[in-house]
Amino acid sequence: MVFSSLVFLYLFFPVNLIFYFISKNNTYRNIILLGFSLFFYAWGEPFFIFALLLSGIVNYSFALLIDKHKGTFKSRIFLYTAIIFDLSMIGIFKYYNFFVSNINFVLDTNIGFSSIGLPIGISFYTFQIISYVIDVYRQDVPAQKKFYKLLLYMSLYHQLIAGPIVRYIDVANEIDNRAIPSDKFSYGINRFIIGLLKKVIIANTAGQVATMFLDSNLNEISVLGAWLGIIMYSIQIYFDFSGYSDMAIGLGRMFGFTYKENFNYPYIAKSVQDFWRRWHISLSSFFRDYVYIPLGGNRKNFVRNVMIVWMLTGFWHGASWNFIIWGLYYGVFLLLERMVLSKILDKIPSVLRHVYLMLIVIIGWVFFYFIDIKEGLKFIGILFGYGNNPLYDIKFEVEFFNNVIFLIFAAFASTPVFKVIYRKLNERIVINNYRPSKLTVIVFNALILIISTILLVGQTYNPFLYFRF
């Protein structure tokens, strides 16, 4: 089940709200939310809920032991054991076949592959629970004594399958004490609707055009068609991912949880470093706090630390060499900016710095999209005119002119311009001492919900991009 589905919008979510607000008792609400979260996760494949429960039980137990023996050698042993267990879980389910295929290739062996599928969201909830046991070990937060509360933290369906990565320390108080004033609930509705707009109206539209070019015969695609395809994919992945984060943040607010921002207009960045301060912020901060700094950060073996973190960042996204290359690609540019490029970038016009960043990001999405590295490199060659591909063709002309207005709208939507316009109008337009912002938001939300519903009814293209994670 995904947020951008009719089942969720018109059945699961309304029923969850009704049962949740029947009582104001926080224990009751926690149990209801836990039940609905487990049902949500079990909707697609009930078997994988056992992996979630096993992870919860093991980490709950080790966190109690870590807390009991805090400050001792035993505490460290329990921490390492918990982390090894968590990494083993994700290794077995997500990376086993990757390692086996590489071992078979290098050693010419014939080790059998696993037929077990990938539990949705395992990377998200595994990183969350790792951050929890580490924070307990660091004594940043006490161990949760009640198992169902820790399981609620792990399984909250708002952010379970597509993030953001929520740390226990950020919601620990809200698990026990949370209030939902009307302004917080209305903000949550509006934020959810904005995410729905991004996913259903922008990301799905861009994705249909992207696949039309990126999945076509690379010997026949035109140069401009290749550019249109990868630009549309860049639009799709940003609005899809940030849309899900917006919906998660909105759902959290409606149920009394405050999740941190995960995207901050990354496509307006002017350097790779700035881009990664804005893109998937929860993942970047996880690797910074739990990998980069413990390795030594900027103080010791800086180059090694950067490359390790970005190799792991790429590998986190998928069990394939193209993702590792994608991560290392960004690691190299971050090092270049730190050592050489930052001085150059400071001296050139802002617009050229933005072009530089977008070119790096768009080329990076080629490595992210193409599992076959040879195909990805061939596609990059086509982008820059290498080979016999035509400059343009009728397919490009038709799709470009059919979507030129959409491209302009998506470009503006990836910036804060609409937010600024709304704020300025709200400041200046006053009718009988009444600012019509609330009415405007209600009309906007209703309109987006109606349009999204029509699109979901009428189209079959509504991909879930996070099955790899």
Side-chain angles (χ1 to χ4, degrees), residues 210-235:
T211 55
M212 190 183 305
F213 288 95
L214 300 183
D215 292 348
S216 63
N217 188 332
L218 295 187
N219 294 319
E220 299 175 358
I221 190 174
S222 66
V223 174
L224 293 180
W227 277 105
L228 179 60
I230 197 61
I231 288 172
M232 282 293 193
Y233 181 66
S234 302
I235 292 170

Side-chain angles (χ1 to χ4, degrees), residues 293-310:
I293 292 176
L295 282 173
N298 297 335
R299 298 175 289 99
K300 184 179 180 182
N301 297 318
F302 164 68
V303 174
R304 181 206 66 180
N305 298 343
V306 168
M307 296 310 291
I308 288 175
V309 164
W310 286 97

Side-chain angles (χ1 to χ4, degrees), residues 304-374:
R304 181 206 66 180
N305 298 343
V306 168
M307 296 310 291
I308 288 175
V309 164
W310 286 97
M311 180 189 71
L312 293 175
T313 300
F315 203 32
W316 179 88
H317 284 85
S320 176
W321 281 106
N322 67 298
F323 292 110
I324 296 175
I325 291 172
W326 177 78
L328 293 174
Y329 167 86
Y330 275 108
V332 168
F333 274 103
L334 284 165
L335 288 174
L336 287 174
E337 285 189 358
R338 180 72 177 264
M339 298 175 176
V340 180
L341 293 178
S342 60
K343 296 178 180 178
I344 300 173
L345 291 173
D346 290 341
K347 297 177 181 178
I348 64 176
S350 176
V351 65
L352 293 182
R353 296 203 302 270
H354 181 66
V355 170
Y356 148 83
L357 182 276
M358 288 309 301
L359 187 61
I360 289 172
V361 171
I362 290 170
I363 298 302
W365 290 134
V366 175
F367 293 113
F368 198 88
Y369 186 86
F370 287 97
I371 301 296
D372 188 320
I373 297 171
K374 290 182 179 179

Side-chain angles (χ1 to χ4, degrees), residues 26 39 86 89 91 138 158 164 184 192 220 299 302 306 337 390 392 404 413:
N26 201 56
F39 178 82
D86 293 327
M89 284 280 288
R138 292 174 175 176
H158 317 145
K184 190 173 185 178
F192 180 87
E220 299 175 358
R299 298 175 289 99
F302 164 68
V306 168
E337 285 189 358
Y392 65 93
V404 65

Side-chain angles (χ1 to χ4, degrees), residues 62-126:
F62 276 112
L64 289 177
L65 291 170
I66 291 168
D67 196 43
K68 179 180 179 180
H69 299 279
K70 57 189 173 186
T72 68
F73 181 72
K74 287 183 179 180
S75 177
R76 185 177 299 180
I77 295 297
F78 291 136
L79 171 68
Y80 290 160
T81 305
I83 292 175
I84 290 170
F85 169 81
D86 293 327
L87 295 179
S88 298
M89 284 280 288
I90 199 173
I92 291 169
F93 283 109
K94 184 172 181 178
Y95 298 109
Y96 175 82
N97 286 342
F98 171 79
F99 288 126
V100 166
S101 64
N102 283 279
I103 291 171
N104 286 343
F105 177 78
V106 173
L107 302 180
D108 194 27
T109 54
N110 192 30
I111 302 172
F113 292 99
S114 171
S115 59
I116 301 175
L118 176 66
I120 294 295
I122 188 171
S123 295
F124 288 104
Y125 72 71
T126 299

Side-chain angles (χ1 to χ4, degrees), residues 413-439:
S414 65
T415 72
V417 64
F418 290 130
K419 181 185 288 186
V420 171
I421 290 172
Y422 172 77
R423 188 176 69 245
K424 294 294 184 183
L425 290 175
N426 191 48
E427 290 172 355
R428 296 183 181 183
I429 298 176
V430 180
I431 302 174
N432 295 327
N433 295 320
Y434 173 73
R435 298 187 186 279
S437 59
K438 289 186 178 179
L439 179 61

